[in-house]
Amino acid sequence: MKVDQKGHTTTIKDTQGDLNSFLEKVTKEHHSFKSQNLILDISHDKNVTLKDIKLFSDLSKTHKKGKKSLVIVADDIDFNAVPAKLIVVPSLQEAHDIIEMEEIERDLGF
């Protein structure tokens, strides 16, 4: 697990290729990141399925209660099939763009 913090956003990259242990580690350490916007980068794991992505639902819900964004970066999935409560994008740049937009929406009171 590689953690990179820039400003109000923390990017956590899965370096093991084991999605379940990555989710477990991030969930266990969530208290350390709860005041930051989170980008979870699982894009290097080419075997990720939509079912795997849905495992992040509880973590996403918990994180959003704190008025912070959680964006997952993944490759080779059907983005149209992702549940609306999860934000999944194909690149880190798009993840940063989504966080910027959500920050503006929160500042405006949405």
Side-chain angles (χ1 to χ4, degrees):
M1 188 164 92
K2 182 181 173 194
V3 179
D4 182 30
Q5 187 171 353
K6 289 184 182 167
H8 54 75
T9 304
T10 299
T11 303
I12 305 173
K13 186 171 187 148
D14 178 22
T15 55
Q16 302 294 318
D18 181 1
L19 199 64
N20 288 326
S21 76
F22 176 68
L23 176 58
E24 189 177 310
K25 285 180 192 173
V26 172
T27 303
K28 191 181 290 185
E29 295 295 322
H30 181 257
H31 64 279
S32 305
F33 309 117
K34 67 182 177 185
S35 64
Q36 294 279 309
N37 294 306
L38 280 181
I39 298 174
L40 302 179
D41 185 359
I42 55 173
S43 59
H44 78 285
D45 189 350
K46 303 301 180 200
N47 298 320
V48 172
T49 63
L50 184 59
K51 185 178 176 184
D52 295 329
I53 299 283
K54 288 179 181 179
L55 295 174
F56 289 90
S57 293
D58 289 339
L59 179 63
S60 177
K61 184 178 177 182
T62 302
H63 198 70
K64 287 182 181 183
K65 281 183 183 175
K67 303 262 190 254
K68 293 295 177 183
S69 302
L70 186 139
V71 182
I72 300 169
V73 179
D75 252 349
D76 297 332
I77 64 161
D78 180 6
F79 294 99
N80 294 322
V82 174
K85 60 188 168 199
L86 288 174
I87 301 172
V88 183
V89 296
S91 71
L92 280 173
Q93 183 58 52
E94 286 178 82
H96 285 286
D97 291 346
I98 292 282
I99 288 173
E100 288 270 332
M101 288 189 305
E102 287 188 347
E103 284 283 321
I104 291 168
E105 287 175 357
R106 282 191 286 271
D107 288 346
L108 295 173
F110 291 102

